[in-house]
Amino acid sequence: MHSLASIQELLSPLFPGLMGMQLTEVDLERVVGTLTVRPDLCTVGNTVHGGALMAFADTLGAVGTFINLPEGKRTTTVESSTKFIGAARAGSTVVGECTAFHRGKTTMVWQTVIKSEDGKLCAVVTQTQVVLGI
Amino acid sequence: MHSLASIQELLSPLFPGLMGMQLTEVDLERVVGTLTVRPDLCTVGNTVHGGALMAFADTLGAVGTFINLPEGKRTTTVESSTKFIGAARAGSTVVGECTAFHRGKTTMVWQTVIKSEDGKLCAVVTQTQVVLGI
Amino acid sequence: MHSLASIQELLSPLFPGLMGMQLTEVDLERVVGTLTVRPDLCTVGNTVHGGALMAFADTLGAVGTFINLPEGKRTTTVESSTKFIGAARAGSTVVGECTAFHRGKTTMVWQTVIKSEDGKLCAVVTQTQVVLGI
Amino acid sequence: MHSLASIQELLSPLFPGLMGMQLTEVDLERVVGTLTVRPDLCTVGNTVHGGALMAFADTLGAVGTFINLPEGKRTTTVESSTKFIGAARAGSTVVGECTAFHRGKTTMVWQTVIKSEDGKLCAVVTQTQVVLGI
């Protein structure tokens, strides 16, 4: 199993690093992270850009799949769907908790619930990952 | 109607600016943009991060809704769903073309088709925007 | 609040009645129902048709919204997305449990988890309802 | 390649037969069908039930995948997402046109556009099928 620190380091030069997202928990059935809503992660109106929330969740689900992969396999997201429910203001931090609906040999299905720091629901992202040979 | 340049400027300090996305066409029924796949927009494997594609498309659909809004209204994305089909490599540029399925009084539905510079399909994003009072 | 029996009767001449779905619990935050997988609800291979599962879930979410509507309002589904995870065989019964992610003034978001009678996950359906004037 | 008539006959005792859907065109890149909105395919208000539209589309996409399968393979829907845009009244007939975004070795992606008989858009359904061994 990969450590949280090694995965965080792997992501650092990539898009999750650009956004500044932090992993806080990496378990086989649950991956948790935080994202501070910098102004440059916002849309008009000083609230978090929906795309930043989707990218944040997509990363958590990909990490979840990655750590569950058998040796010699890789993964890619085939589908992601998001319901946007509440806004998060610039300067606040959101928490994403990603849990598995399904961890199979050919597909995995993960759902990320993103909440504001005071526990208000911001978005729910459900995604399907395929498991592929290398 | 808002000009392409004024919208591009509005987006510049925001998440679309951080990603470096460019608008190239802004019409009432069609919004087109490009995104150069910088290394910091990638995931593991030097291909574009799915979240960057989703954020790119979400911006195009929001721009499409924005320019169609009646005076005194605003919009937010309520739902977005994406099928990921092909990868785009670091250093390449992808093109997103967003067209309207529906432009109604309470909701608008947009679909963005994202292709690589050689015309290969990368992703299809379909999103629903609600039209709200201010 | 509407009774389970009155809603079941309302649905009886409609599509949920054609499929033979039964409501078993109707609360403001949770709606539960069952569907027996008759052969004419199947696809090739004697397993439940994905469309039957989507229709089953859509009904549960619409009932959940309906019973939460303020006086003088109506609802329609604007978006539904489904992950199919496991099959259910002809002759078995599936259970759908629908709970609310969000019950707002303009939209409600519901998620239905459908399981086989032995508790195996079949599908997860997440849908957005808009609340409209009459 | 399978004939339209043989596929229609295969579907007849199954859910598509219960709903009365008809295939009208079956090509490798395009599958078209019709569905007459019988009262028992409706929801409250004498308009077609969203679930009937989703089941109709799901069938078209599955047929499209089926006829593209290599020998010795089968398919299942892994994900379907639908935007509902306009209603169709009881007694009318809707037409669904399903075309391929992607027909790959491991997945196929299809989109069905459903319109009323006078050409008004009712729904757009996008679905991902996996290709599996038998």
Side-chain angles (χ1 to χ4, degrees):
Chain A
M1 166 119 185
H2 307 267
S3 72
L4 187 155
S6 69
I7 297 172
Q8 185 77 49
E9 193 179 328
L10 183 68
L11 298 178
S12 164
L14 304 173
F15 195 45
L18 179 67
M19 297 193 301
M21 70 171 274
Q22 297 293 321
L23 294 171
T24 57
E25 188 182 325
V26 177
D27 292 322
L28 289 173
E29 299 193 2
R30 200 173 103 104
V31 179
V32 184
T34 60
L35 183 73
T36 295
V37 183
R38 299 185 323 231
D40 62 1
L41 298 183
C42 284
T43 185
V44 175
N46 291 316
T47 57
V48 67
H49 194 288
L53 294 183
M54 293 193 285
F56 175 45
D58 187 54
T59 304
L60 297 176
V63 167
T65 305
F66 177 65
I67 61 174
N68 277 281
L69 287 176
E71 190 81 25
K73 298 283 184 180
R74 64 190 172 88
T75 184
T76 186
T77 313
V78 286
E79 194 279 337
S80 176
S81 60
T82 301
K83 314 301 184 210
F84 295 103
I85 291 168
R89 311 267 332 148
S92 70
T93 294
V94 294
V95 180
E97 179 182 0
C98 179
T99 51
F101 270 126
H102 177 62
R103 293 176 296 153
K105 281 181 202 165
T106 55
T107 61
M108 298 196 197
V109 179
W110 295 85
Q111 182 161 280
T112 301
V113 173
I114 302 176
K115 294 184 177 174
S116 67
E117 49 197 5
D118 52 351
K120 196 169 58 94
L121 189 56
C122 296
V124 180
V125 183
T126 318
Q127 75 198 68
T128 305
Q129 304 279 138
V130 281
V131 177
L132 300 164
I134 289 181
Chain B
M1 165 122 179
H2 308 268
S3 73
L4 186 154
S6 69
I7 298 172
Q8 185 77 50
E9 194 180 327
L10 182 68
L11 298 178
S12 166
L14 304 174
F15 195 45
L18 179 68
M19 298 194 299
M21 70 171 276
Q22 296 292 321
L23 294 171
T24 58
E25 188 182 325
V26 177
D27 291 321
L28 289 173
E29 299 194 2
R30 201 174 102 104
V31 178
V32 184
T34 61
L35 182 73
T36 296
V37 183
R38 298 184 325 230
D40 62 0
L41 298 183
C42 285
T43 183
V44 175
N46 291 314
T47 57
V48 66
H49 194 288
L53 295 182
M54 293 192 286
F56 176 43
D58 187 54
T59 305
L60 297 175
V63 167
T65 306
F66 176 65
I67 63 176
N68 277 282
L69 286 177
E71 190 81 25
K73 297 283 185 180
R74 64 190 172 88
T75 183
T76 187
T77 313
V78 284
E79 194 279 335
S80 177
S81 59
T82 300
K83 313 299 185 214
F84 295 102
I85 291 168
R89 311 261 340 142
S92 69
T93 294
V94 295
V95 179
E97 178 182 359
C98 180
T99 52
F101 270 125
H102 177 61
R103 293 177 294 152
K105 281 182 204 165
T106 54
T107 61
M108 299 197 196
V109 180
W110 295 85
Q111 182 163 283
T112 301
V113 174
I114 301 176
K115 294 183 176 174
S116 66
E117 50 198 3
D118 52 351
K120 197 169 57 94
L121 188 57
C122 297
V124 179
V125 184
T126 318
Q127 75 198 69
T128 304
Q129 304 278 138
V130 282
V131 178
L132 299 164
I134 289 180
Chain C
M1 165 118 183
H2 308 268
S3 73
L4 187 155
S6 69
I7 297 172
Q8 185 77 50
E9 192 180 328
L10 182 68
L11 298 178
S12 164
L14 303 174
F15 194 45
L18 179 69
M19 296 195 301
M21 71 171 275
Q22 296 292 322
L23 294 171
T24 57
E25 190 182 322
V26 177
D27 291 322
L28 288 173
E29 298 194 3
R30 201 174 102 105
V31 178
V32 184
T34 61
L35 182 73
T36 295
V37 183
R38 299 185 323 229
D40 61 1
L41 298 183
C42 283
T43 184
V44 174
N46 291 315
T47 57
V48 67
H49 194 288
L53 294 184
M54 293 192 285
F56 175 44
D58 187 55
T59 304
L60 297 176
V63 167
T65 306
F66 176 66
I67 63 175
N68 277 282
L69 287 176
E71 190 82 25
K73 297 284 184 179
R74 64 192 172 88
T75 183
T76 187
T77 312
V78 284
E79 194 280 336
S80 176
S81 60
T82 301
K83 313 302 183 210
F84 296 103
I85 291 168
R89 311 265 335 147
S92 69
T93 295
V94 295
V95 179
E97 179 182 0
C98 180
T99 52
F101 271 124
H102 177 62
R103 292 176 296 152
K105 281 181 201 165
T106 55
T107 60
M108 299 197 196
V109 179
W110 295 84
Q111 181 162 282
T112 302
V113 173
I114 302 176
K115 294 184 176 174
S116 66
E117 48 197 4
D118 51 353
K120 196 169 58 94
L121 188 57
C122 297
V124 180
V125 183
T126 318
Q127 75 198 69
T128 305
Q129 304 279 138
V130 281
V131 177
L132 300 164
I134 290 179
Chain D
M1 166 119 182
H2 308 268
S3 73
L4 188 155
S6 68
I7 298 171
Q8 185 78 51
E9 193 180 327
L10 183 67
L11 298 178
S12 165
L14 303 175
F15 195 44
L18 179 68
M19 297 194 300
M21 71 170 275
Q22 296 293 320
L23 294 171
T24 57
E25 189 181 323
V26 176
D27 292 323
L28 288 173
E29 298 195 2
R30 201 174 102 104
V31 178
V32 184
T34 60
L35 182 73
T36 295
V37 183
R38 298 184 324 228
D40 61 1
L41 298 183
C42 284
T43 184
V44 174
N46 291 316
T47 57
V48 66
H49 193 287
L53 294 183
M54 293 192 284
F56 175 44
D58 187 54
T59 304
L60 297 175
V63 167
T65 306
F66 176 65
I67 63 175
N68 277 282
L69 287 177
E71 190 81 25
K73 297 283 184 179
R74 64 191 172 86
T75 183
T76 187
T77 312
V78 284
E79 194 278 336
S80 177
S81 60
T82 300
K83 314 298 184 210
F84 295 101
I85 291 168
R89 311 270 327 152
S92 70
T93 294
V94 295
V95 179
E97 178 182 0
C98 179
T99 52
F101 270 124
H102 177 62
R103 293 176 296 152
K105 282 180 201 165
T106 54
T107 61
M108 300 197 194
V109 179
W110 296 84
Q111 183 162 278
T112 301
V113 174
I114 301 175
K115 293 184 176 175
S116 67
E117 49 198 3
D118 52 352
K120 196 168 58 93
L121 188 57
C122 296
V124 180
V125 183
T126 317
Q127 74 198 70
T128 305
Q129 303 278 138
V130 283
V131 177
L132 300 165
I134 290 177

